[in-house]
Amino acid sequence: MAPVIKLNSGYDMPQVGFGLWKVDNAVASDVVYNAIKAGYRLFDGACDYGNEVECGQGVARAISEGIVKREDLFIVSKLWNTFHDAERVEPIVKKQLADWGIEYFDLYLIHFPVALEWVDPAVRYPPGWHYDGKEEIRPSKATIQETWTALESLVSKGLSKSIGISNFQAQLIYDLLRYAKIRPATLQVEHHPYLVQQELINLAKREGIAVTAYSSFGPASFKEFNMKHADALAPLIEDETIKKIAAKHNRPASQVLLRWATQRGLAIIPKSTRPQIMAENFQSIDFDLSEEDIATISAFDRGIRFNQPSNYFPTELLWIFG
């Protein structure tokens, strides 16, 4: 049984989950079904991933075959930027639930602290960053407080058991905590040895907010986007220091990177379409690194962030991230 993290909302969240970013629609149903068979119970999705219908089909198949019950699963989704206005939140959540084929989310997150003008799902879904689907980016006037208050209503209406945030930094978290009636249960952030974010993790711990790490293998997830700083860095799983630690424990380098995060108290959401790698990632919790190993890996820190929208659209998004 995978370990769990007790959330401030009172619920248990599996510490090892399965990420659904970039899982192709053609295989998403089978991938989710196979991941459930491999033991995964947490699935981290989002409107923006564009595969929630297919992921839901994988869940439905596993439930229909008696492999799991709905209450055994911890399903996470996220609010996209174009739905931050208060009146847009509940309708899109209900659409996402219908796409998944479920009645509630276990956890629902604000995907980015960025509000964009509404795009009708009937026009384009998922809407992406551009208002016209090509190049125009239109900000919305919705505040984080407005959006968070709308998320709080999801809990009282039974549409999500817990709510949280993603890609937030310290200043915004402190501001949110001033007015939040329901505190964020989790903070999901990019986290790998090149981006340790120790002060942010310390803040979350002090405030009772669980942290989920994504992109645990660093630049590997971003090579396809032709980011110069991603291409310039050696893949972490091929680094000689990481490989030496892995050899010492007779483990794959990937498990060392994942265990480094979980031993520091974080949840992880790796993904793979290959059953063998699915199993390896899931089993990364069943050995321990030494304190020296953890310190050695943490010393890789360079403060390099890959999943920053200005890395994808540097000129259009200067008003947000410049």
Side-chain angles (χ1 to χ4, degrees), residues 99-138:
D99 286 348
W100 272 96
I102 57 178
E103 295 183 351
Y104 65 89
F105 288 119
D106 294 276
L107 176 64
Y108 195 73
L109 310 175
I110 298 177
H111 201 151
F112 282 99
V114 177
L116 299 178
E117 189 167 321
W118 180 66
V119 175
D120 189 336
V123 172
R124 188 176 64 258
Y125 190 82
W129 286 89
H130 298 104
Y131 180 78
D132 58 359
K134 297 177 182 178
E135 57 185 23
E136 183 183 4
I137 292 178
R138 291 189 187 179

Side-chain angles (χ1 to χ4, degrees), residues 249-261:
H249 294 279
N250 195 28
R251 295 280 179 154
S254 57
Q255 286 191 344
V256 168
L257 293 168
L258 295 172
R259 188 59 177 136
W260 168 74

Side-chain angles (χ1 to χ4, degrees), residues 39-315:
Y40 289 90
R41 295 296 179 262
L42 184 155
F43 290 88
D44 182 81
C47 157
D48 190 52
Y49 301 165
N51 56 12
E52 292 192 295
V53 169
E54 293 81 5
C55 292
Q57 291 168 350
V59 166
R61 180 181 170 192
I63 291 174
S64 69
E65 293 182 9
I67 300 172
V68 289
K69 298 177 181 177
R70 168 64 184 95
E71 55 266 31
D72 298 328
L73 300 174
F74 193 101
I75 297 178
V76 184
S77 193
K78 306 180 188 77
L79 179 76
W80 186 242
N81 307 331
T82 51
F83 305 107
H84 276 216
D85 297 273
E87 70 273 16
R88 306 297 182 188
V89 173
E90 186 176 330
I92 199 61
V93 171
K94 287 182 174 177
K95 171 178 168 46
Q96 291 178 259
L97 288 169
D99 286 348
W100 272 96
I102 57 178
E103 295 183 351
Y104 65 89
F105 288 119
D106 294 276
L107 176 64
Y108 195 73
L109 310 175
I110 298 177
H111 201 151
F112 282 99
V114 177
L116 299 178
E117 189 167 321
W118 180 66
V119 175
D120 189 336
V123 172
R124 188 176 64 258
Y125 190 82
W129 286 89
H130 298 104
Y131 180 78
D132 58 359
K134 297 177 182 178
E135 57 185 23
E136 183 183 4
I137 292 178
R138 291 189 187 179
S140 159
K141 293 182 179 179
T143 63
I144 295 297
Q145 182 171 3
E146 175 184 339
T147 305
W148 185 253
T149 300
L151 256 69
E152 290 176 327
S153 73
L154 301 178
V155 177
S156 61
K157 293 175 181 178
L159 298 176
S160 188
K161 291 186 173 182
S162 302
I163 52 176
I165 50 180
S166 178
N167 299 303
F168 277 55
Q169 291 297 303
Q171 296 90 334
L172 277 177
I173 296 172
Y174 279 129
D175 185 64
L176 187 156
L177 290 173
R178 291 178 62 193
Y179 52 76
K181 295 178 181 176
I182 299 176
R183 295 169 72 84
T186 69
L187 165 67
Q188 186 176 129
V189 291
E190 179 181 345
H191 175 269
H192 44 74
Y194 291 139
L195 185 66
V196 176
Q197 303 207 78
Q198 190 61 55
E199 290 186 3
L200 183 63
I201 292 169
N202 292 345
L203 181 163
K205 185 176 181 180
R206 286 195 305 270
E207 298 296 340
I209 303 170
V211 178
T212 298
Y214 69 77
S215 297
S216 295
F217 304 134
S221 296
F222 301 95
K223 293 288 187 182
E224 66 192 76
F225 300 112
N226 298 315
M227 295 179 187
K228 290 181 180 179
H229 56 314
D231 293 334
L233 289 168
L236 284 162
I237 59 173
E238 296 176 11
D239 181 88
E240 289 303 319
T241 300
I242 301 293
K243 287 164 70 174
K244 285 179 182 177
I245 294 172
K248 181 174 68 173
H249 294 279
N250 195 28
R251 295 280 179 154
S254 57
Q255 286 191 344
V256 168
L257 293 168
L258 295 172
R259 188 59 177 136
W260 168 74
T262 54
Q263 263 186 260
R264 295 170 63 243
L266 281 65
I268 53 172
I269 46 172
K271 81 160 196 300
S272 177
T273 58
R274 293 173 289 172
Q276 178 185 344
I277 305 302
M278 276 187 192
E280 283 185 0
N281 290 344
F282 192 69
Q283 293 160 2
S284 64
I285 206 82
D286 62 6
F287 75 105
D288 289 329
L289 298 169
S290 68
E291 290 186 10
E292 182 183 1
D293 292 333
I294 293 172
T296 298
I297 298 170
S298 297
F300 277 65
D301 191 18
R302 302 185 189 182
I304 296 176
R305 188 184 313 277
F306 300 107
N307 193 30
Q308 180 165 289
S310 55
N311 289 336
Y312 307 105
F313 317 110
T315 54

